[in-house]
């Protein structure tokens, strides 16, 4: 039995592991995909204190290495259920395994939100992508669209502008919601055009591949089509917390309804990172949650 089982290997989960291990606890981290979480998709990160610039992948690798060097145990499995029985927790995975722990920290992160348009699911991987770092090179010399106007969209569009012949940024609002510095850098690019107050109303495809977008003006209602070889979505994120609602309350948007102490209504169960109800979701706030949750779990273990 582990002192601490952490579900999720992003900045929140790995920071929690580091703090738990440094307190002398045995720690198991269970991650379903790849360690690092959403930060691994960021081509350039400039808002981590003490680090001028680092790629998301490099930051994720360093954080993972730090946890492993301290003695963290890891499993690449998908957690489907957590139950409390006789004073400890039993964690079940999709792969059919069970793990027991005295405390559990849910650091589940979030997943990419989609537009919910007809044919969208079938086109993911066939012209629709979420990661310019991963897939941008496939569109070298081609025309692409970036859907969204926040920091992630602006960063991804800047990266795409370096390899693509043309980048069309489609933003539903009449302004960007991302940082001004990023917006200025993007609009200065000659091969970038920005369509404000515009939404994607449909996808165009042929032979199972994306060929274009149907756009609609939010101001006039006019619709028109543009041809693109690929489209990248950066329209927000959504939690995947429903499976644990019996142990930790959710708010109206599906996030864990937990305060800054990261505690839940179930003693010994804590939540951390982007999956928690909070106003600001950044790598530093996720790591902060991880530290707080781990220290709270240690206090619970030692009480």
């Amino acid at each position: 039995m582990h002192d601490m089982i952490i579900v999720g290997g992003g900045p929140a989960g790995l920071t929690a592991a580091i703090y738990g291990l440094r307190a002398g606890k045995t720690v198991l981290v269970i991650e379903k995909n790849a360690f690092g979480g959403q930060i691994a998709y960021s081509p350039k990160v400039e808002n981590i204190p003490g680090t001028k610039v680092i790629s998301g992948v490099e930051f994720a690798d360093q954080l993972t290495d730090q946890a492993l060097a301290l003695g963290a145990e890891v499993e690449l499995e998908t957690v489907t259920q957590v139950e409390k029985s006789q004073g400890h927790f039993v964690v079940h995975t999709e792969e059919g395994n069970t793990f027991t722990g005295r405390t559990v920290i849910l650091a589940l992160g979030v997943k990419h939100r989609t537009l919910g348009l007809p044919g969208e699911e079938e086109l993911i991987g066939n012209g629709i992508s979420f990661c310019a770092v991963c897939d941008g090179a496939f569109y070298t010399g081609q025309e692409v669209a970036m859907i969204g106007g926040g920091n992630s969209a602006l960063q991804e569009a800047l990266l795409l502008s370096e390899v693509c012949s043309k980048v069309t940024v489609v933003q539903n609002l009449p302004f960007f919601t991302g940082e001004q510095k990023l917006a200025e850098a993007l609009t200065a690019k000659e091969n970038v055009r920005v369509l404000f107050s515009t939404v994607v109303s449909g996808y165009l495809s042929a032979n199972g591949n994306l060929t274009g977008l149907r756009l609609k003006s939010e101001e006039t209602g006019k619709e028109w089509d543009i041809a693109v070889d690929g489209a990248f979505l950066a329209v927000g994120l959504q939690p995947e917390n429903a499976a644990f609602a019996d142990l930790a309350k959710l708010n109206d948007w599906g996030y864990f309804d937990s305060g800054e102490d990261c505690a839940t209504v179930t003693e010994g169960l804590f939540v951390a990172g982007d999956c928690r109800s909070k106003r600001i979701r950044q790598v530093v706030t996720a790591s902060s949650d991880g530290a707080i949750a781990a220290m709270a779990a240690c206090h619970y273990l030692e009480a």
Side-chain angles (χ1 to χ4, degrees), residues 162-184:
E162 298 296 325
V163 298
C164 299
S165 62
K166 184 176 183 180
V167 179
T168 299
V169 180
V170 181
Q171 164 68 329
N172 65 322
L173 299 173
F175 52 84
F176 286 126
T177 57
E179 296 175 4
Q180 183 178 351
K181 182 180 178 181
L182 290 173
E184 290 173 351

Side-chain angles (χ1 to χ4, degrees), residues 280-295:
I280 298 174
R281 293 182 172 85
Q282 294 286 307
V283 62
V284 290
T285 63
S287 292
S288 173
D289 278 3
I292 292 169
M295 294 176 72

